[in-house]
Amino acid sequence: MGQADLIRDYCAPLPQRVFIALAGFPASYEEVVLAATFGAMNASGSESAGRSEPILAHLRELVAQKRTKPGTDLTS
């Protein structure tokens, strides 16, 4: 029988997955945004600021996409 770390594997990514869905990110962005968010949240000090840049870049790209093709999500 296998093992699972419920906090790491389910509880920690759940709010991020909800944000990804509500924001309207395409499914193809999910793993990238999860990894970037996890990296930024687990960094400290100035390292945290550097690790948040990929998230901001994806958000900027998403906003640009939603301006041209709005959907039924929070970003639109």
Side-chain angles (χ1 to χ4, degrees):
M1 191 175 283
Q3 293 181 323
D5 182 336
L6 292 179
I7 300 296
R8 183 194 71 218
D9 298 338
Y10 181 74
C11 296
L14 183 61
Q16 296 163 345
R17 289 182 191 276
V18 170
F19 164 74
I20 289 167
L22 290 175
F25 277 106
S28 60
Y29 278 53
E30 185 172 316
E31 292 305 316
V32 174
V33 174
L34 279 173
T37 305
F38 184 77
M41 290 175 63
N42 291 306
S44 61
S46 61
E47 184 181 333
S48 178
R51 289 199 178 188
S52 65
E53 186 53 41
I55 301 164
L56 295 174
H58 288 300
L59 282 170
R60 285 186 210 105
E61 185 177 328
L62 180 65
V63 168
Q65 290 173 1
K66 297 298 179 172
R67 283 185 176 151
T68 60
K69 188 177 178 190
T72 57
D73 49 56
L74 293 176
T75 305
S76 296

